[in-house]
Amino acid sequence: MDPLKQDLHRLVNQYLLNIDVYKNNDQYNEQACRDEFISPLLECFGWDVQNKKGVSPQYKEVVVEKFSNEKERPDYTLTLNGLSKIFVEAKKPSVPILTDKKTSYQARSYGWNAGHKLSILTNFENLIIYDTTNKPDETDNAVVSVYKKYHCSEYEEHYEEIYNLISRENVYSGTFDEFLSTNLQDKGRTTSEIDEQFLKQLNYWRLQIGLSLFNNLEKYRNVDLLNDVVQEFINQIVFLRICEDTNL
């Protein structure tokens, strides 16, 4: 048997053998699930989660967020030479990701905002692949835009199918992009819509910064000076967000 399939077989058996403990033990949190199951699951599809190849940080195959924080970044970013290709959002086994609208919206939003066509949500027991060419809405049911979903008991049976969708080999060979360009056409996404949303966000920042400066510092009652300073702030914000998104 293929070594990767052997590892997957072991993982699935381990989980199913102790499934009640993983799902009902409050001490078994998301980080434990990631370490014990989700990271090894990604490795079963060829991803070097631990960077055992020792490549430079900016070229890691997988960028792993170690802790939850206010930035709300995806737990895993699967990359092509450092360029993000697929986001993976992880949850602990007790989270019912098949029906939970909040987690569905979170996973879909990551993919949509980055311009990806697929994103993944998993608690290991289930793996959901979302079509993120459709704009997510917080009111959407958890089944909206589900492209594929698998129970862990199906991972081995559908290994080739999952491999073709998310494997490291297919991302690096270009097969991944070829498949998406043929099967997912960005029907729900338009450049003008994205540009409009970005412009609204910039205008909101501009207004908030301007009001704060105008109301708190006398020297910024000069409109020309105020406009120049606000633009400097906006430029800095955009620059920092670009750096953040590229892990600089």
Side-chain angles (χ1 to χ4, degrees):
M1 182 184 290
D2 184 306
L4 295 181
K5 290 184 180 179
Q6 286 183 330
D7 291 341
L8 182 60
H9 179 77
R10 178 190 58 77
L11 276 177
V12 171
N13 283 352
Q14 178 185 338
Y15 184 84
L16 293 177
L17 185 64
N18 301 283
I19 187 171
D20 291 336
V21 175
Y22 295 131
K23 294 181 70 170
N24 301 314
N25 184 350
D26 292 336
Q27 302 303 311
Y28 196 78
N29 58 25
E30 179 185 308
Q31 189 62 51
C33 184
R34 286 170 58 181
D35 292 342
E36 191 169 2
F37 290 104
I38 297 177
S39 290
L41 177 64
L42 295 175
E43 291 171 350
C44 288
F45 294 99
W47 291 101
D48 184 9
V49 178
Q50 306 298 330
N51 192 25
K52 294 178 181 178
K53 298 174 184 175
V55 302
S56 300
Q58 67 269 32
Y59 298 122
K60 283 184 178 180
E61 290 183 13
V62 182
V63 178
V64 182
E65 290 296 319
K66 294 296 185 182
F67 305 100
S68 297
N69 54 57
E70 294 181 355
K71 294 179 182 178
E72 288 298 318
R73 300 180 66 86
D75 294 308
Y76 301 87
T77 302
L78 310 184
T79 81
L80 172 60
N81 296 321
L83 177 66
S84 69
K85 301 297 288 185
I86 311 172
F87 291 139
V88 180
E89 181 62 15
K91 299 299 176 185
K92 59 184 178 180
S94 61
V95 177
I97 63 172
L98 293 178
T99 57
D100 187 71
K101 294 195 294 186
K102 182 178 179 180
T103 56
S104 169
Y105 176 75
Q106 183 182 22
R108 291 175 59 203
S109 294
Y110 287 145
W112 166 266
N113 291 335
H116 293 176
K117 294 187 178 183
L118 293 180
S119 65
I120 297 170
L121 174 64
T122 184
N123 58 1
F124 186 79
E125 181 171 343
N126 292 284
L127 185 144
I128 306 172
I129 301 176
Y130 284 103
D131 173 354
T132 54
T133 64
N134 302 309
K135 185 180 179 182
D137 187 286
E138 289 182 284
T139 62
D140 286 343
N141 189 285
V143 300
V144 173
S145 287
V146 171
Y147 185 67
K148 295 285 184 178
K149 63 180 179 179
Y150 308 90
H151 186 264
C152 62
S153 61
E154 301 174 306
Y155 290 167
E156 292 181 81
E157 177 185 355
H158 295 283
Y159 180 81
E160 299 299 335
E161 181 176 297
I162 302 171
Y163 190 92
N164 288 336
L165 282 170
I166 68 170
S167 72
R168 187 263 183 202
E169 179 183 1
N170 280 9
V171 168
Y172 274 72
S173 69
T175 304
F176 175 78
D177 286 331
E178 291 175 8
F179 175 83
L180 294 185
S181 64
T182 302
N183 293 274
L184 297 176
Q185 298 295 328
D186 276 338
K187 294 178 181 178
R189 189 196 311 272
T190 65
T191 301
S192 59
E193 181 179 9
I194 295 172
D195 289 345
E196 182 180 348
Q197 292 173 353
F198 184 58
L199 181 60
K200 287 180 180 179
Q201 182 68 71
L202 286 180
N203 286 336
Y204 173 77
W205 290 341
R206 190 186 309 278
L207 179 61
Q208 295 302 308
I209 295 170
L211 286 173
S212 179
L213 293 174
F214 184 87
N215 291 332
N216 290 288
L217 293 167
E218 182 72 29
K219 67 178 181 178
Y220 292 122
R221 304 295 168 83
N222 181 305
V223 176
D224 290 335
L225 177 61
L226 180 63
N227 284 336
D228 289 342
V229 172
V230 170
Q231 187 59 53
E232 288 181 11
F233 271 112
I234 294 296
N235 292 344
Q236 292 169 2
I237 290 171
V238 172
F239 174 74
L240 290 173
R241 284 294 292 115
I242 292 171
C243 290
E244 184 181 46
D245 284 344
T246 53
N247 296 304
L248 294 178

